[in-house]
Amino acid sequence: QVQLVESGGGLVQAGGSLRLSCAASRSIGSINAMNWYRQAPGKQRELVATLTRGGSTNYADSVKGRFTISRENTKNTVYLQMNSLKPEDTGIYYCNAHTISGLGVNYDYWGQGTQVTVSS
């Protein structure tokens, strides 16, 4: 199992930046993928950024060029650097750890979420 704790959310003006952190309770080096999701009011949760165990990254089209996902293995922490923020980036941001067991069973672990509000 993995416990995840997000931090770094807050209120920022459009064009500003925030860095979200996700601290894991154990080593993230063996986790298949670390993801950031977000959920805006009245909308479904959407995948924002992915960082695989091998170091590959993937981003939603809406955040490409503005957001960067990274990790610091020594701190068991994943980050989401968000620049040039827009009001439509507002939402609750969730950290997710996706693992696949040796038997091929998928597991997903979630943090409690952190609120990001971007004012216009």
Side-chain angles (χ1 to χ4, degrees):
Q1 285 193 347
V2 182
Q3 282 77 48
L4 303 170
V5 179
E6 302 101 332
S7 61
L11 173 64
V12 64
Q13 288 189 332
S17 298
L18 282 174
R19 188 177 81 157
L20 305 183
S21 299
C22 171
S25 59
R26 66 169 178 87
S27 172
I28 60 174
S30 61
I31 295 175
N32 293 85
M34 295 296 299
N35 304 294
W36 285 98
Y37 285 76
R38 70 184 178 191
Q39 187 165 19
K43 295 188 177 180
Q44 288 188 330
R45 191 173 297 189
E46 64 171 340
L47 178 60
V48 174
T50 294
L51 176 60
T52 69
R53 183 171 58 187
S56 298
T57 59
N58 195 38
Y59 300 92
D61 288 342
S62 58
V63 307
K64 280 181 182 176
R66 300 189 297 121
F67 290 12
T68 302
I69 188 171
S70 63
R71 66 188 176 204
E72 192 166 356
N73 287 347
T74 57
K75 294 185 177 181
N76 296 331
T77 299
V78 175
Y79 304 99
L80 185 67
Q81 178 67 45
M82 306 186 295
N83 299 327
S84 302
L85 283 161
K86 305 175 181 180
E88 51 263 43
D89 294 318
T90 294
I92 302 174
Y93 283 69
Y94 297 92
C95 181
N96 164 268
H98 180 76
T99 66
I100 305 174
S101 74
L103 297 177
V105 179
N106 292 279
Y107 294 92
D108 282 284
Y109 303 94
W110 297 89
Q112 81 288 351
T114 186
Q115 176 71 46
V116 171
T117 303
V118 184
S119 63
S120 58

